[in-house]
Structures are given as structure tokens and as C-alpha cells.
Amino acid sequence: MALPFLVIDDSALDCLIVKKVIGFSGRGSDVIVFNDVIGALEYIKNTPIDQLPLLTVITLDIMMPVMDGFDFLDNFLLLPVERQERFKIFVLSLSNSPFTLKRLADYDVVATVIEKPITIDKLDRALLETI
């Protein structure tokens, strides 16, 4: 099953890598890239609900300037539940520190954490375990 993806990462290189992995996996029907949290949140908030796919996977970097992944999660939780339910959030992180992982565990909206660099195997495993 091919799904739409939103990639949120401040690094153009990381966005390219994630987009390529999604493409090579054959699991993505459409990939929209955001280099900041604000643009992604605006898209999620302002797209009419009937124009959103029933399920979109978000790949979210945690360490970003201005607003980081935790800021995104905090703002995402303020959205109506019927909007939140249209998304699965996969956090991509270089940091697998216990502090970061514990903090992420407090967010029920995070479906899984994938350690960077993302690979087709890691993406497939995350999709199989959460969807």
C-alpha cells in the first residue's frame, strides 16, 4: 500500500535522503517536504479536512532551529482529534539518548522513532509495526 508522506527536516540533504528512501521503497504515493515546523503546521491546519488523505505518514526531525520537533508535537496536539487521526508520526533522530527517547515516549501521537540514517528496511519495519 502506497501512502502520502510529509517530510519535516531543516536539512535539505536529509530531506533528499528521506524522499529517495520513500521512493525506492515503493511505499510512498506522494511526498511533500517542509524545511521548517511552521510551514508543516500551516499545511496540516489549513488544508480542508476533506482534502486530506485518510492517512499520511509524517517523518519528523527532532533537532531543528527556531521550532524543533518537540514544538511541532506540542502544536500538533492542539489540533482537533479528527485532524490528528489523519497522520502517523515517525520521528527521525540522530539522538537515541535515553533523555530524548523518554521525552518522546510521553507523546502518544508518535507512532515510532527511527534512528538516522533512514533506510528502506527501517521504513518498512516502521510501517509494518504501526499501520
Side-chain angles (χ1 to χ4, degrees):
M1 164 174 52
L3 297 167
F5 281 76
L6 294 182
V7 176
I8 308 170
D9 198 313
D10 63 307
S11 164
L13 178 60
D14 284 345
C15 287
L16 178 66
I17 291 168
V18 173
K19 194 171 179 177
K20 291 287 186 189
V21 167
I22 293 167
F24 290 141
S25 75
R27 306 285 282 199
S29 62
D30 188 27
V31 180
I32 301 172
V33 174
F34 293 96
N35 293 114
D36 62 70
V37 166
I38 296 167
L41 284 169
E42 289 299 313
Y43 172 83
I44 293 167
K45 281 192 235 182
N46 295 329
T47 301
I49 192 110
D50 63 337
Q51 292 179 20
L52 288 172
L54 293 177
L55 181 60
T56 298
V57 176
I58 296 174
T59 63
L60 175 67
D61 184 30
I62 287 296
M63 300 302 179
M64 291 183 279
V66 184
M67 291 181 74
D68 64 17
F70 292 109
D71 294 323
F72 173 87
L73 294 169
D74 291 338
N75 281 277
F76 184 84
L77 287 171
L78 299 175
L79 298 171
V81 172
E82 59 272 6
R83 195 166 286 270
Q84 290 180 35
E85 290 173 342
R86 299 279 180 132
F87 298 91
K88 286 276 188 191
I89 301 174
F90 294 2
V91 170
L92 303 181
S93 180
L94 281 173
S95 173
N96 60 356
S97 76
F99 174 76
T100 301
L101 295 176
K102 181 181 180 333
R103 191 169 171 200
L104 286 170
D106 291 337
Y107 291 94
D108 291 337
V109 295
V110 173
T112 192
V113 178
I114 301 172
E115 187 175 355
K116 285 184 178 181
I118 190 169
T119 64
I120 293 172
D121 288 340
K122 290 178 187 178
L123 177 63
D124 281 344
R125 189 170 36 254
L127 289 167
L128 287 171
E129 291 173 358
T130 62
I131 296 181

